[in-house]
Amino acid sequence: MNNKTSAVVRLRKARATTGAAHREGKVTLEMVARAAGVSPSTASRILNGTAVVSELKRHAVDEAIARLGFVPNPVARGLAGGRTLSVGVVTQAIDSPFYGGALRGIEDELSAAGYSPLFVSGQWNAVHETRCIEMLRSRRVDGIIVLTGRTSDAALKALAANLPVVVTGRSLCAPGLVSLNFDNFEGGRLATRHLLGLGHCRIAFITGDTRHPDAKERHRGYLAALKEAGVAADPALVVPGQYTEESGLAAVESLLDKRVPFSAIFAANDQMAFGAALGLHRRQLRVPYDVSLVGFDDVATATYSIPPLTTMHHPVLELGQIAARAMLQLLAGEPATLTLPAPRLVRRESTQARR
Amino acid sequence: MNNKTSAVVRLRKARATTGAAHREGKVTLEMVARAAGVSPSTASRILNGTAVVSELKRHAVDEAIARLGFVPNPVARGLAGGRTLSVGVVTQAIDSPFYGGALRGIEDELSAAGYSPLFVSGQWNAVHETRCIEMLRSRRVDGIIVLTGRTSDAALKALAANLPVVVTGRSLCAPGLVSLNFDNFEGGRLATRHLLGLGHCRIAFITGDTRHPDAKERHRGYLAALKEAGVAADPALVVPGQYTEESGLAAVESLLDKRVPFSAIFAANDQMAFGAALGLHRRQLRVPYDVSLVGFDDVATATYSIPPLTTMHHPVLELGQIAARAMLQLLAGEPATLTLPAPRLVRRESTQARR
DNA sequence: TTGTATGCGTTATCAG
DNA sequence: CTGATAACGCATACAA
């Protein structure tokens, strides 16, 4: 009792003398050690499980920690031990409807393990992305998760030589590096097959930004499905897009203006599908009565679009979780052998059999 | 030349001997100081502009920094100086279409000033939010930005006593605290007025989650506009929602099922408006021919919904930027006097004059 | 098993 | 103006 009181009093004093306001309530490991009657190193060992200690002291320290409300200082820990318990996450646009889910998955998984994510946006700009990575390294993150990104494979491998790296959207192999690649080819093929199965044979394809490998894969999938079905691929049915709603709208307009006949559209992502839907709507064409429409990614808004969009489910939340778990494994020194779920079509109301 | 080479060689050696892989390429301030022929303190002073130093030494140090490629270690800096150059950002859901923009604004502004944001999601849970804030404090962030949040005003004020705080979505006054409140009342009023001006007098209102102050404000705005126009407020026209698409859909269905007559709907946010639009679509009611629809927030997808949604523009990106700037001012010790843009209706295609 | 001493890279506090 | 020297809070060889 008395002990407790005096501890509090000491704390008060410390607060009063400390200039920096935000250092209030600071309880150091040393204080804990003294309160428990052990040395700081022992307290540290108990905190980290670095070595075996007697049950007695362990108990005393645990009790002292709880009583004083000790919270380890990650900053000091980072300086002394080299581990900051934080991992950098390189994304392209933190406000993207697509990546949002992944970020959430990462945060959930990481924070459950005591790690904190440090998000930075590369803005689809290789130079900026490099700067971001440099910044993360200077902040001494314990590892880096790169979502797609524009950084070269070589640079990533080099990075992985010094720091655990998890990268999505590519297939890479290097020590300290795990890559998680979603099967975009299969996704594109399944989406096209769905349309084919519905009797459509004039299927337009709106490509994604061709600088992205996944856009090319989805395109390959489209072509493969057509070939499998013995349907000739008409180049006039393939229109370029940039993964934006605007480009989807423009694509449909160009298709319509050129009077290319088609009964279905497969857009390489949902955002373009939404733009396409609006384009069709403006020309009095109804989805799915006049034109069937399939998207890709299954973003959150796809469920409530008009009509609800049939699309390839891209498990972004899981992607984030799995990427985070892979990083955790890497950090723990375990060999990571995680894999992504297979593509899966979510059938909603934007597709129907050809009339 | 020779100098340069030997420096590189020394670096190589350091790399080879250092066990921790991620410490590669480390150049310390001490090394810079030695290379420049000054003491570490002087080098530090030059780096931070903490004191006046002779032009000669300044030059020598700058040159050494550039030559060795020195990058200050934020971790060590945080330990020694108490400043981590990072600010915590408490959001509710990092994947929310609404908050995404704000996060981006914050990141842009903060990183331009050399600060890094540390994002955490409160998940609309007061307890969890408190834990998040504790975590941020333990990580020694220099300040905290709270986007709306469930934390009590009192707790926030207490927090602000120790740490600069910027909070959005409320009007609070306390030292070290700046609050940025969007005028939701005016927004609700303007949205309703728009509908009124179009000749609608049976205007349904889908409320937001009433635990949010902004939802209540929007409701008040709706009521005020009605009153101004001399239109009686019919309680049957007000249906509860929870800010989700699903609840917007349910709201419309309940309205239709009860056969409450209406020619327009004002949804307290865009997500519910989308749900409502789908509900109307399912019952063969067309927007805006049969029913005019107004949302609130102007999320990114509102531009490409079918039809493009008329909505109150909520400047989230600016909100983020302004919140970040306010934090920067607070950090610099300047009195922050920033304010948010006024509500503004974006008229698109979901509203038209009553037939 | 445990304590002591030292270091992590900077900033801050003193003297000069 | 500048340079030693002491923190900052913790982890870790090393010694016992």
Side-chain angles (χ1 to χ4, degrees):
Chain A
M1 277 303 176
N2 225 316
N3 237 337
K4 201 170 192 168
T5 314
S6 63
V8 172
V9 168
R10 248 179 292 136
L11 235 142
R12 285 261 166 72
K13 240 179 212 162
R15 279 184 208 177
T17 51
T18 302
H22 65 270
R23 296 213 187 149
E24 179 241 49
K26 171 170 21 188
V27 180
T28 71
L29 225 202
E30 193 198 337
M31 294 166 67
V32 170
R34 212 179 320 165
V38 303
S39 75
S41 28
T42 301
S44 170
R45 284 190 263 261
I46 292 174
L47 203 61
N48 302 292
T50 313
V52 190
V53 297
S54 79
E55 200 53 45
L56 203 80
K57 307 207 168 185
R58 146 169 289 119
H59 203 77
V61 170
D62 281 343
E63 192 270 345
I65 287 178
R67 184 159 51 81
L68 300 181
F70 167 74
V71 176
N73 180 337
V75 181
R77 226 179 236 218
L79 226 208
R83 302 190 334 151
T84 53
L85 289 184
S86 66
V87 346
V89 180
V90 178
T91 167
Q92 297 311 318
I94 199 168
D95 57 340
S96 141
F98 176 72
Y99 283 115
L103 299 190
R104 184 189 184 127
I106 291 176
E107 195 205 352
D108 287 355
E109 213 65 26
L110 242 36
S111 65
Y115 279 81
S116 290
L118 217 54
F119 296 112
V120 295
S121 304
Q123 326 278 30
W124 294 120
N125 177 322
V127 186
H128 187 69
E129 193 173 309
T130 305
R131 261 206 305 273
C132 284
I133 291 180
E134 270 319 302
M135 193 273 275
L136 291 174
R137 295 192 54 186
S138 88
R139 286 209 175 256
R140 301 300 190 272
V141 293
D142 296 338
I144 294 186
I145 296 176
V146 179
L147 298 178
T148 310
R150 286 239 192 285
T151 305
S152 73
D153 289 0
L156 237 37
K157 283 186 185 175
L159 183 62
N162 306 314
L163 208 58
V165 171
V166 171
V167 58
T168 70
R170 9 190 159 180
S171 297
L172 240 62
C173 211
L177 179 316
V178 10
S179 75
L180 263 19
N181 205 1
F182 182 68
D183 196 343
N184 288 286
F185 169 75
E186 180 66 7
R189 189 161 64 164
L190 288 177
T192 311
R193 263 195 207 156
H194 169 65
L195 256 13
L196 252 8
L198 253 23
H200 299 279
C201 45
R202 300 268 325 153
I203 304 172
F205 178 64
I206 308 180
T207 75
D209 186 327
T210 47
R211 286 172 305 178
H212 297 229
D214 50 57
K216 282 185 273 197
E217 286 301 291
R218 292 173 193 185
H219 190 172
R220 281 210 312 123
Y222 161 79
L223 260 19
L226 250 36
K227 188 165 186 179
E228 281 168 13
V231 174
D234 181 353
L237 283 169
V238 176
V239 285
Q242 279 83 50
Y243 271 161
T244 63
E245 288 91 347
E246 194 183 0
S247 67
L249 175 59
V252 163
E253 286 179 341
S254 97
L255 232 32
L256 259 20
D257 288 343
K258 288 193 212 144
R259 304 196 175 287
V260 181
F262 63 91
S263 68
I265 298 178
F266 169 29
N269 81 349
D270 288 350
Q271 287 175 262
M272 293 195 298
F274 296 142
L278 182 58
L280 294 169
H281 176 77
R282 288 209 193 294
R283 302 288 185 110
Q284 323 297 340
L285 290 170
R286 300 170 59 173
V287 175
Y289 311 103
D290 302 310
V291 177
S292 279
L293 180 64
V294 173
F296 202 116
D297 281 346
D298 194 18
V299 298
T301 48
T303 315
Y304 286 92
S305 65
I306 293 179
L309 187 69
T310 293
T311 183
M312 282 308 304
H313 181 69
H314 193 159
V316 269
L317 182 73
E318 293 92 318
L319 178 108
Q321 294 174 327
I322 292 174
R325 266 184 237 137
M327 175 53 75
L328 256 17
Q329 293 189 329
L330 234 36
L331 254 19
E334 310 163 16
T337 50
L338 287 165
T339 170
L340 255 32
R344 175 171 62 82
L345 186 91
V346 178
R347 181 157 189 194
R348 286 200 269 258
E349 303 164 38
S350 66
T351 51
Q352 71 170 35
R354 177 175 160 220
R355 289 174 309 162
Chain B
M1 276 303 175
N2 226 317
N3 236 338
K4 203 167 189 170
T5 313
S6 63
V8 171
V9 170
R10 246 179 290 135
L11 236 143
R12 285 264 165 70
K13 240 179 211 165
R15 280 185 206 176
T17 52
T18 303
H22 66 272
R23 295 210 189 151
E24 180 241 48
K26 172 170 21 189
V27 179
T28 71
L29 226 202
E30 194 196 335
M31 293 165 69
V32 169
R34 211 179 322 164
V38 302
S39 75
S41 353
T42 301
S44 171
R45 281 190 267 260
I46 292 174
L47 202 61
N48 302 291
T50 314
V52 190
V53 296
S54 79
E55 199 54 42
L56 203 82
K57 307 204 169 185
R58 145 168 291 118
H59 203 78
V61 170
D62 280 344
E63 192 269 345
I65 287 178
R67 184 159 51 82
L68 300 181
F70 168 74
V71 177
N73 180 338
V75 181
R77 219 177 241 216
L79 225 209
R83 300 190 335 152
T84 53
L85 289 183
S86 67
V87 345
V89 180
V90 179
T91 169
Q92 297 311 318
I94 200 169
D95 58 340
S96 141
F98 177 72
Y99 282 115
L103 300 189
R104 184 189 184 130
I106 291 176
E107 196 205 352
D108 286 354
E109 212 65 25
L110 242 36
S111 64
Y115 279 81
S116 291
L118 218 54
F119 297 112
V120 294
S121 304
Q123 326 278 29
W124 295 120
N125 177 323
V127 186
H128 186 68
E129 194 172 310
T130 306
R131 259 206 305 272
C132 285
I133 291 181
E134 271 319 304
M135 192 273 275
L136 290 174
R137 295 193 52 186
S138 89
R139 284 207 177 256
R140 301 300 190 271
V141 293
D142 295 338
I144 294 185
I145 296 177
V146 179
L147 298 178
T148 311
R150 286 239 192 285
T151 305
S152 73
D153 289 0
L156 238 37
K157 283 187 185 174
L159 183 62
N162 306 313
L163 207 58
V165 172
V166 171
V167 57
T168 70
R170 11 189 159 182
S171 296
L172 240 62
C173 211
L177 179 316
V178 9
S179 75
L180 261 21
N181 205 0
F182 182 68
D183 196 343
N184 288 286
F185 170 75
E186 180 66 7
R189 190 159 64 163
L190 288 177
T192 312
R193 263 195 206 154
H194 169 65
L195 257 12
L196 253 8
L198 251 23
H200 298 279
C201 45
R202 301 275 315 158
I203 304 172
F205 178 64
I206 307 179
T207 75
D209 186 326
T210 48
R211 287 172 304 178
H212 297 228
D214 50 57
K216 282 186 274 199
E217 286 300 292
R218 293 172 191 186
H219 190 174
R220 281 210 313 121
Y222 162 79
L223 261 19
L226 251 35
K227 189 166 185 178
E228 281 169 12
V231 174
D234 181 353
L237 283 170
V238 176
V239 285
Q242 279 83 50
Y243 271 162
T244 62
E245 287 91 346
E246 192 182 1
S247 67
L249 174 60
V252 162
E253 286 180 341
S254 98
L255 231 33
L256 259 20
D257 288 343
K258 289 192 210 142
R259 305 198 175 285
V260 182
F262 63 90
S263 68
I265 298 178
F266 168 29
N269 79 349
D270 289 349
Q271 287 176 260
M272 293 194 298
F274 296 141
L278 182 58
L280 294 169
H281 176 76
R282 288 208 193 296
R283 302 287 187 110
Q284 323 296 339
L285 290 169
R286 298 172 58 175
V287 176
Y289 311 103
D290 302 309
V291 177
S292 280
L293 179 64
V294 173
F296 202 117
D297 283 344
D298 194 17
V299 298
T301 47
T303 315
Y304 286 92
S305 65
I306 295 181
L309 188 68
T310 293
T311 183
M312 284 304 308
H313 182 68
H314 194 158
V316 269
L317 182 73
E318 292 93 317
L319 179 108
Q321 294 174 328
I322 292 175
R325 267 184 238 137
M327 175 53 75
L328 257 16
Q329 293 190 328
L330 234 37
L331 254 19
E334 310 163 15
T337 50
L338 286 165
T339 169
L340 255 33
R344 173 173 64 82
L345 186 90
V346 178
R347 182 157 187 194
R348 286 199 268 256
E349 302 164 37
S350 66
T351 52
Q352 71 171 35
R354 177 176 159 220
R355 288 174 310 165

